[in-house]
Amino acid sequence: MQDLLVGFISRYVSLTEDEKKAIVSLDIFRSVKKGTTLLKEGQHSKDLYFVIKGCIRTYYIIDGEEKTTAFYTEMDALTPHCAISNAPSDYFISAVEDSIISVGEMEVNIFEKFPKFETLCRILSEELLAKQQINFDEFKTSSPEQRYLNLLQKRPDLVQRVPQHQLASFLGIKPQSLSRLRARILEKSKR
Amino acid sequence: MQDLLVGFISRYVSLTEDEKKAIVSLDIFRSVKKGTTLLKEGQHSKDLYFVIKGCIRTYYIIDGEEKTTAFYTEMDALTPHCAISNAPSDYFISAVEDSIISVGEMEVNIFEKFPKFETLCRILSEELLAKQQINFDEFKTSSPEQRYLNLLQKRPDLVQRVPQHQLASFLGIKPQSLSRLRARILEKSKR
DNA sequence: TAAATTCGTTCACTTAAGTTAAGAAATGAA
DNA sequence: TTCATTTCTTAACTTAAGTGAACGAATTTA
């Protein structure tokens, strides 16, 4: 299981045997049940998450309503804002399915101890920023229906494994609108 | 003018006099007229931009229509995807106003020559990623009207200095809808 | 297993954005 | 300065999302 994490990191920076051992010893592997909350709004935490198996999500609670903004599945890394900004978190993180995750700690002087880790973080942030930018641009420039069809192409698994009402807020609409939109698409494809 | 760039960088990493000189000598300051295109779709470029004065924007052309996705004003840094991914750009960058920008080059071994530059890039990417994430989340969880009111709070200058049709696509709507929405808000505030 | 809650869908109705078109105002170029 | 183009607004109509409610299905929990 540790190999997956080491393998993931090795795609970005080459690691010595010692470094591999250090990572494995630093990281804790946690098995979490569906619905478990890993981080709550208002909490401080320096934890970084890497999904080995399963699915976790981030969501806000606005006017008592859950607004899911992101899903993280196998081989996805999640760095909560509060881990780098040391402000309290303004969102929640919880498990969509039974999952196995690796939880790392954001230590104060980690970059001095492991300069390679800074390179890894730079590359990951840059890559993520680029992806995020593209996602945002696509979101802005398309309608809810297009966004749903786009999701079907890019992350077909999500549509299957995630509850519809969570998907809806991820797409920026209400659950009823997602239902209707799907019925509309089905209707079109019949004709 | 160089001081602004050095000052900006100094907020993130401390610089020696030699490093300051190196930055100033590496960077080119360009004065660009309103409407000038700095980067076109399909082009390859390793240029990084830092806005000293004025405003530049990124936009896609989709079905012959311009879709503005971001604005960069004083003290904003813009790292185009193509500069880090070495794929051709899929968007345009152009000046909204007459602007003065600093154009840096993304060199191959820059991080080996200047380890501090890697720290700078990591911090900037992390910070930007966090901001971007929050922006995206806010966008998803609010209506066009809320987004416009939000923009009025957060970047009131943009609403003044940027053409309405560019603002509209930035808000994810059509120019006509923005006009109507503004009229609606005005109507509400009267009553 | 039974009751209670949550979830997904459908419906009717309301609200707001997209679309097409037209005209006025501002801007830029000859 | 004048003409042409672009930009902004308004309007009428169309389309789709929000809202509130209802109901069956699925899932939890007692």
Side-chain angles (χ1 to χ4, degrees):
Chain A
M1 200 153 74
Q2 283 81 348
D3 296 346
L4 283 167
L5 177 60
V6 169
F8 171 78
I9 294 174
S10 300
R11 295 197 310 211
Y12 299 97
V13 291
S14 53
L15 295 172
T16 65
E17 282 308 313
D18 278 355
E19 287 167 335
K20 285 180 191 173
K21 277 179 200 155
I23 287 164
V24 171
S25 71
L26 267 172
D27 271 71
I28 301 153
F29 292 85
R30 258 183 81 184
S31 188
V32 292
K33 280 256 162 266
K34 178 176 174 177
T36 308
T37 300
L38 300 169
L39 176 70
K40 287 183 184 168
E41 183 189 350
Q43 279 187 342
H44 287 266
S45 158
K46 294 285 149 199
D47 288 351
L48 312 174
Y49 306 93
F50 176 73
V51 181
I52 308 280
K53 176 135 193 31
C55 179
I56 61 179
R57 63 190 252 262
T58 55
Y59 62 97
Y60 292 76
I61 293 189
I62 299 172
D63 302 328
E65 246 185 297
E66 280 189 15
K67 304 271 191 175
T68 299
T69 52
F71 296 102
Y72 298 82
T73 54
E74 287 78 11
M75 301 292 268
D76 279 340
L78 199 187
T79 305
H81 302 159
C82 64
I84 50 174
S85 73
N86 70 304
S89 178
D90 41 17
Y91 53 78
F92 296 76
I93 301 178
S94 82
V96 174
E97 309 170 339
D98 292 352
S99 307
I100 298 163
I101 56 177
S102 166
V103 182
E105 268 278 314
M106 191 65 191
E107 289 174 62
V108 190
N109 295 318
I110 187 121
F111 298 131
E112 286 164 30
K113 276 190 253 171
F114 283 104
K116 254 180 217 172
F117 191 60
E118 176 145 48
T119 302
L120 173 69
C121 285
R122 176 191 52 84
I123 298 175
L124 277 179
S125 308
E126 280 177 357
E127 200 184 71
L128 225 62
L129 189 60
K131 268 192 207 161
Q132 184 75 7
Q133 187 78 253
I134 292 169
N135 273 336
F136 194 0
D137 291 350
E138 280 179 353
F139 193 93
K140 266 189 189 173
T141 58
S142 56
S143 66
E145 183 169 328
Q146 287 173 314
R147 297 200 287 255
Y148 175 74
L149 291 169
N150 200 241
L151 194 69
L152 272 179
Q153 293 289 324
K154 289 203 175 164
R155 301 181 72 178
D157 57 308
L158 271 194
V159 184
Q160 299 305 319
R161 68 206 284 194
V162 162
Q164 296 299 304
H165 66 282
Q166 288 175 17
L167 254 195
S169 67
F170 180 68
L171 292 169
I173 56 176
K174 303 285 160 190
Q176 299 94 314
S177 297
L178 179 55
S179 261
R180 175 170 42 196
L181 178 159
R182 296 178 64 176
R184 196 166 62 220
I185 290 170
L186 208 71
E187 202 49 44
K188 279 182 195 165
S189 68
K190 266 192 217 159
R191 275 181 291 108
Chain B
M1 198 154 73
Q2 283 81 347
D3 297 346
L4 283 167
L5 177 60
V6 169
F8 172 78
I9 293 175
S10 299
R11 294 198 311 211
Y12 300 96
V13 291
S14 54
L15 296 172
T16 65
E17 283 307 313
D18 279 355
E19 287 168 334
K20 286 180 190 172
K21 278 179 198 155
I23 287 164
V24 172
S25 70
L26 267 172
D27 272 72
I28 302 154
F29 293 84
R30 259 183 81 184
S31 187
V32 292
K33 279 255 162 266
K34 179 177 174 176
T36 309
T37 300
L38 299 168
L39 176 70
K40 286 183 184 168
E41 183 190 348
Q43 279 186 344
H44 287 264
S45 158
K46 295 284 147 198
D47 288 350
L48 311 174
Y49 306 93
F50 176 73
V51 181
I52 308 280
K53 180 145 191 20
C55 178
I56 61 179
R57 63 190 251 262
T58 54
Y59 62 97
Y60 293 75
I61 293 189
I62 298 172
D63 303 327
E65 244 184 299
E66 279 189 15
K67 305 272 191 174
T68 299
T69 52
F71 296 102
Y72 299 82
T73 55
E74 286 78 11
M75 301 292 268
D76 280 340
L78 199 187
T79 306
H81 301 159
C82 65
I84 52 173
S85 73
N86 71 306
S89 178
D90 41 18
Y91 54 79
F92 296 76
I93 301 178
S94 82
V96 175
E97 309 171 338
D98 292 351
S99 307
I100 299 164
I101 56 177
S102 166
V103 183
E105 270 277 314
M106 190 65 191
E107 288 176 62
V108 191
N109 296 319
I110 186 116
F111 297 131
E112 286 164 30
K113 276 190 255 173
F114 284 105
K116 255 181 217 172
F117 190 62
E118 176 146 46
T119 301
L120 173 69
C121 284
R122 177 192 49 87
I123 297 174
L124 277 180
S125 311
E126 281 177 356
E127 198 182 74
L128 226 60
L129 189 60
K131 268 192 208 162
Q132 184 74 10
Q133 186 79 251
I134 291 167
N135 273 336
F136 195 0
D137 291 350
E138 279 180 352
F139 192 94
K140 267 189 188 172
T141 58
S142 56
S143 66
E145 183 169 326
Q146 288 173 314
R147 296 199 288 256
Y148 175 74
L149 291 169
N150 200 240
L151 194 70
L152 273 179
Q153 293 290 324
K154 289 203 175 166
R155 300 181 72 178
D157 57 307
L158 270 194
V159 183
Q160 300 304 320
R161 69 206 285 195
V162 161
Q164 298 298 305
H165 66 283
Q166 288 174 17
L167 254 195
S169 66
F170 179 68
L171 292 170
I173 56 176
K174 303 285 158 191
Q176 298 92 316
S177 298
L178 179 55
S179 261
R180 175 171 41 196
L181 178 159
R182 296 178 64 180
R184 196 165 62 220
I185 290 169
L186 208 71
E187 201 49 44
K188 278 182 195 165
S189 69
K190 264 192 219 162
R191 276 183 291 110

